[in-house]
Amino acid sequence: MDQDERLLHSSSFGAAAVAYAEHRPDYARAAVRWALAPAAGPRVLDLGAGTGKLTATLLALGADTVAVEPDPAMLSELRRSLPEVRALPGSAEAIPLPDGSVDAVLAGNALHWFDMAVAGPEIARVLVPGGILAGLWNVMNDEVDGPGGPGGAGGVDGLDGADGAGEANGAGGSRGPDGAGGAGGPGRAGGAEWVSGLARVGGSAAVGPRDTPAGWRAETADAHLPETGAAACFGSPERAEFPHGQRRTADSLVAALATRAGMLVMPGPERRATLDRIRGYLASRPETARGEFTLPMLTAVLRVRRL
C-alpha cells in the first residue's frame, strides 16, 4: 500500500464512527497486561485511540491513561463513551504531549497506519527511557487445531470484556513471546473453520492481511515498528498471542466487517454486493445461521522497549 492509499484508508473510519463504537471488539485483558508488564509506571498513551476500545480496557486495568486520536468523529465517540478520560486531538506523527511524559505507548489496530519514519522518533520522545511501545491487533482465529476446539468457546479471554477462562489461565492461555507456547503450554485459542470461509467470501477488503493469525505473523515479521540498529530508538520486538472472542449474530458481524477500512473506501455498489455475499455465507453455515455465536479471535501483540 503506497502512502496515498494508506492515508485514504486510515482516514476512512470517521464516517462509520458510531458503528465502529458499537460493533468493534475490545482487547483481551491478558494481552494488555503482557504489553504493559515491563513498563516502569502506570502512565499510558493510547495512540490512535479511535472510539476508545483499548482505552476502556486500559482504564479497567487501572492504567493512568491519556488518549490521542486524529479523527474528530472518532474522538467525539471516545469522549462520549469515556468522559472521564483525557482525550486529545493529535496523531502518531505529532503527539500533543511533553517529552518523557508516559511509561508506555499502546496502539490498538492502529500501528500499521503510522508513518514510522516520523512516528518512531515522536513516540520515543514522549516515552521515558526504557518505556514500552506495543501494537495490539484483534485477529479472527481460523486455526482449528487449538485446545479451545472448533468455535473457540473454550479458553476465551473475556467475551466483550468479561474475564474468561483464558484470563484465569494467565500465561498458559497465550501463545508466548515470538510465537512460542506460553508457560503453561501452547494454549492457543481454538479457531473455527467457518472463519476461513468467511475470509474467502469477503475478500481482502473485509478480512485483510493482518486479520487472521498466519496473516498477522507474516505481515508483522518485519513491519510496523521503528527501525532497529545503531541509531535506533527501540530494541528488538517481542510477540505474543492471547485468546479472545466476541459474541456476535450474523447481522452484528456483518455490521462489524462493514467498518473495515477496505470496505469503507469501496464504491457503494461493490460494498453492498460484498456485504450481501457475507450475509449469504453466514446464513448458510450452521454455526452462524441462527442466534448468537462466538467469533473466535486472538489479540496479537508486538512489543518493543525504548533504548
Side-chain angles (χ1 to χ4, degrees):
M1 186 180 293
D2 63 28
Q3 185 170 353
D4 289 342
E5 189 177 6
R6 180 173 58 83
L7 180 60
L8 173 67
H9 282 69
S10 66
S11 62
S12 66
F13 297 107
V18 173
Y20 193 109
E22 181 178 357
H23 295 295
R24 286 292 188 106
D26 62 1
Y27 294 84
R29 292 187 183 186
V32 180
R33 287 194 184 104
W34 184 84
L36 293 175
R43 300 171 301 168
V44 181
L45 165 61
D46 183 0
L47 187 57
T51 62
K53 295 294 182 177
L54 178 57
T55 314
T57 304
L58 288 166
L59 290 177
L61 294 177
D64 179 7
T65 307
V66 59
V68 169
E69 166 57 36
D71 187 279
M74 301 287 273
L75 184 61
S76 177
E77 280 297 313
L78 191 159
R79 287 171 168 166
R80 182 191 61 78
S81 62
L82 299 169
E84 70 275 26
V85 174
R86 183 185 176 204
L88 306 173
S91 69
E93 296 78 18
I95 301 172
L97 294 178
D99 296 359
S101 57
V102 295
D103 302 296
V105 174
L106 269 59
N109 277 80
L111 201 64
H112 53 280
W113 300 125
F114 299 169
D115 178 359
M116 273 301 176
V118 180
E122 182 69 349
I123 292 168
R125 179 186 66 79
V126 302
L127 278 170
V128 297
I132 297 301
L133 166 63
L136 296 89
W137 288 264
N138 280 322
V139 302
M140 292 186 287
N141 192 2
D142 59 355
E143 297 181 336
V144 299
D145 58 346
V156 171
D157 175 26
L159 303 181
D160 294 320
D163 289 345
E167 188 82 307
N169 290 337
S174 74
R175 182 179 171 92
D178 297 317
R188 194 188 308 176
E193 186 275 333
W194 66 263
V195 176
S196 296
L198 177 64
R200 291 191 297 271
V201 169
S204 62
V207 182
R210 287 169 299 275
D211 292 336
T212 61
W216 177 82
R217 293 170 203 140
E219 284 287 311
T220 58
D222 298 300
H224 309 321
L225 290 173
E227 292 183 2
T228 57
C233 299
F234 294 89
S236 298
E238 300 173 277
R239 294 171 175 81
E241 300 166 9
F242 297 82
H244 198 30
Q246 186 184 29
R247 293 298 287 174
R248 296 279 79 186
T249 64
D251 286 343
S252 66
L253 179 53
V254 170
L257 293 173
T259 68
R260 301 295 179 100
M263 299 297 298
L264 292 171
V265 301
M266 265 188 183
E270 183 181 355
R271 183 172 185 267
R272 288 190 291 273
T274 301
L275 294 175
D276 284 345
R277 282 200 312 274
I278 294 170
R279 285 190 191 94
Y281 173 76
L282 294 174
S284 75
R285 297 289 308 205
E287 304 95 331
T288 58
R290 295 181 182 84
E292 287 194 341
F293 53 88
T294 297
L295 174 64
M297 297 189 299
L298 300 173
T299 297
V301 190
L302 251 65
R303 183 178 73 186
V304 291
R305 187 188 295 268
R306 185 193 185 281
L307 300 176

